[in-house]
Every structure is written in structure tokens, then in C-alpha cells.
Amino acid sequence: MTGRTVLVTGASGVVGTAVLPELADYDVIAGVFRRLPTGSGRAVRLDLHAPSLGLDRRAYRELCAEVDVVINSAAIVNFSADQAEVDRLNIEGLGRVIEFAAEADALVMQVSTAYVARHGKAGGGERRGTEKASARTDEYVASKYLGEVMVRDSGLDHVIVRPAIVIGDSVTGVIRQNQAVHTLAEYLLTGRLPFIPAHPGTYFDLVPQDLVAKGIRAVLDADLRAGEFWLTAGPAGVPVERYLELVTETGRECGLDVPAARVADPSIVDRLVRPAFADVLPAEDLARLDSVVAVCGLVIIPELLPTSFGALPGGPAALTPAQVEEAWRCSIRELIRGLQK
């Protein structure tokens, strides 16, 4: 259902930059804080840390009068950010978005994360393998979980979309900013990480950014006013062993001398690595290793996630394992091109 005016917050982020071209025939306003997204026909600078989204009262009222739908993709996904920084945007900023939507009488589409499924469970943002992790995945997951509660309790018409690990475009591999899963692949490709801290038989859920955008578009087109939608690979999740093979194979196909790596129990860091190397490894190397363990403890999951692909009216079909693997290969190739510049 086009003809509505859609405000996209966080329009210069990973999800925002993927969504904007997908909504080209909607009247879209790109809400940005600093960086103007490429190809945005119309943009407005918003500050979710400030009252009235950082606008003067007249501009705020005019925006309220115009907007029919708010797609809130503004969030801190930096796992190294402290709790106060995460909460300022993911909780307090969301509260201001809800206030705006209430005044605008607009539908809220909250871009959450599929990893709210892990909230309160082992690996659901808890620090695994080490208590010294500099990555605070627990704070990120808690903020997204509480954000969903806020939206549900607002009394507004709302939908919640839950992407899993967003990777690059399924054809080009291009992404606005590399994610933690790309950083992990980079460490493997360059030999800075000799193992993946994970248990055998666990999974990565990788979803290309263009499929996330198409899923959001399908929810919008169907004029859904309630519901929770999983934008995930679902049954096509990639076993951790296969993830490692894909990184190694693709790297070698691109001419890199990728060292052999393996899957290892996350507890190996505290049981073996730290006692053996704490006195000789630079502090930044230990911090990087701790962060990898913490991030893997969140994004490597013991069971497959649900998916709404294949069930959304007019939305993408459910992903197949072959499609996910090829999309991830495209992302790895794009990552390698960046490393070789």
C-alpha cells in the first residue's frame, strides 16, 4: 500500500541504507543524525537524544502532520559501547520515537533483532568463555528486548521485525558497514584467529541485507498493524563448521593463503589461552580475543531460529541453504576486496 509517508530513522545505518532504495515508490523521509545516506531523495537531521528529536517545535509539528509510518532502525549495535551509551539511543531514543509516533498517529515498525530469542538463555548476550570480555553483548540484547516491550506497551499500532545477522547484498556482497560476523571472517582470513570459539552442531543465522529490506517492504505493503516478523535464514542457518569452510574456501579461491582453523570449545580461552599467553600477548590482542568469544556467544546459536520468509504476503520466499551460502560467499569476496585495497 503505497501513498503513505514513511520516516526511516537510522537511515544511514546498515538496515536503513538497504531499506531506502526498496521503498523508492513510497514518500520516504530519511531521518539521519550526521551522515546523509547516498541516494536519499529527502532527508531530515534528527537527534534521538534530544527532546522533539532535535527539531524546533514548528518543524516537529510539521513532521508529525506528514508522517504515517515510522520505521525505527536507529540503534547502537556496537558491542563495545557501554550501558549508558546503548540505553541513550536504544531505550531513551526509542521513547522519543514512540512519543513522536503518538503525536503523529503513526504506525511504528520497530527494527529489533532475532537475538531477543536468546534473552535470558545461555548465550543470550551473556559473556561466555571469559569474564573479561570487552564486548557487552548482554547490554545490546537487553536493550532490544526492552525496546520491544516499550513498543508493545505503547498502545500504538505497531509491528516488530527481527533481522538475524545482516550480511551484504546477496549479489554484490556490499554492505554499508561490516558487522561482527565480517570481523570474525577477517580474523580467520588473516590468521589472527586460529579457531572459532563455539560448540559443534551450532549455527550462524546469516540474512542478506536486500532480503531484510524486502521483508520490511512486504510488511509495509500489506499494511499490517500488528505482529512480529522474523527476517532470518531460519532452517537455512549455516552450521558453524560450514561457516569456517566457506571462509577458508572462498579466501583461498581469491588467492589468499588462509591458514587452517578449527572449531574449539569457548572455555579454551580461560582454561588454556590466557594462562599460557597472558604475560606475552599484547593487551589489545587479549581484548580482541575476549570480544570474539563474547560476540560468538551471542551470534552462534544452539538451535535454528524461526523465519517469516515464505509466509509474508508478497514477501521473499524462505531462503535455501544454497542461497545463504552463496550470499555469504559474496560477502566474503567483498570483504577480501576491501582487505586488498
Side-chain angles (χ1 to χ4, degrees), residues 51-224:
S52 301
L53 306 183
L55 301 173
D56 62 52
R57 192 58 197 168
R58 178 178 177 181
Y60 185 78
R61 286 196 303 266
E62 290 175 349
L63 192 62
C64 284
E66 191 172 3
V67 170
D68 303 298
V69 179
V70 181
I71 299 176
N72 182 46
S73 66
I76 286 182
V77 191
N78 178 2
F79 294 144
S80 297
D82 62 31
Q83 182 74 62
E85 185 181 359
V86 171
D87 286 351
R88 280 188 71 208
L89 185 57
N90 295 7
I91 300 298
E92 296 170 25
L94 173 58
R96 293 188 178 95
V97 170
I98 291 171
E99 290 173 359
F100 170 84
E103 191 163 341
D105 192 24
L107 169 77
V108 175
M109 185 185 297
Q110 171 66 2
V111 180
S112 184
T113 173
Y115 293 94
V116 295
R118 305 298 308 153
H119 182 70
K121 299 180 182 179
E126 297 174 2
R127 298 180 175 94
R128 294 172 57 199
T130 178
E131 290 303 315
K132 305 175 181 65
S134 57
R136 301 176 176 87
T137 59
D138 49 347
E139 294 167 4
Y140 167 71
V141 173
S143 73
K144 300 304 282 187
Y145 178 84
L146 292 173
E148 289 194 9
V149 172
M150 290 170 62
V151 171
R152 283 193 291 268
D153 289 350
S154 68
L156 299 173
D157 287 347
H158 69 272
V159 289
I160 294 170
V161 294
R162 296 182 178 132
I165 304 171
V166 181
I167 61 174
D169 183 90
S170 60
V171 175
T172 67
V174 171
I175 191 168
R176 214 277 298 167
Q177 182 176 12
N178 287 339
Q179 303 297 284
V181 71
H182 296 85
T183 302
L184 177 60
E186 179 182 340
Y187 291 163
L188 293 166
L189 290 166
T190 57
R192 284 183 283 173
L193 186 68
F195 63 90
I196 293 181
H199 297 290
T202 51
Y203 302 89
F204 286 90
D205 191 301
L206 309 175
V207 58
Q209 65 174 27
D210 48 316
L211 268 291
V212 172
K214 289 179 188 301
I216 289 173
R217 168 73 191 239
V219 173
L220 197 59
D221 283 350
D223 197 21
L224 300 173

Side-chain angles (χ1 to χ4, degrees), residues 273-310:
V273 177
R274 275 192 167 276
F277 298 104
D279 294 336
V280 295
L281 279 178
E284 59 268 25
D285 288 346
L286 288 172
R288 180 172 65 240
L289 180 60
D290 289 340
S291 294
V292 165
V293 173
V295 169
C296 287
L298 171 64
V299 301
I300 301 177
I301 51 179
E303 64 278 320
L304 295 168
L305 293 167
T307 187
S308 298
F309 290 140

Side-chain angles (χ1 to χ4, degrees), residues 19-61:
V19 164
L20 289 180
E22 187 63 35
L23 303 183
D25 53 347
Y26 277 85
D27 183 9
V28 175
I29 303 171
V32 297
F33 182 46
R34 292 192 185 93
R35 185 185 296 108
L36 291 175
T38 302
S40 57
R42 182 181 173 196
V44 58
R45 293 195 182 276
L46 302 177
D47 183 358
L48 271 59
H49 299 133
S52 301
L53 306 183
L55 301 173
D56 62 52
R57 192 58 197 168
R58 178 178 177 181
Y60 185 78
R61 286 196 303 266

Side-chain angles (χ1 to χ4, degrees), residues 218-269:
V219 173
L220 197 59
D221 283 350
D223 197 21
L224 300 173
R225 316 295 293 184
E228 299 168 357
F229 305 96
W230 299 81
L231 308 183
T232 68
V238 179
V240 63
E241 297 86 355
R242 184 58 180 151
Y243 170 94
L244 184 54
E245 290 173 355
L246 289 167
V247 172
T248 303
E249 291 171 5
T250 308
R252 290 174 178 174
E253 288 168 7
C254 292
L256 298 183
D257 183 18
V258 183
R262 62 190 181 92
V263 175
D265 190 298
S267 66
I268 194 174
V269 174

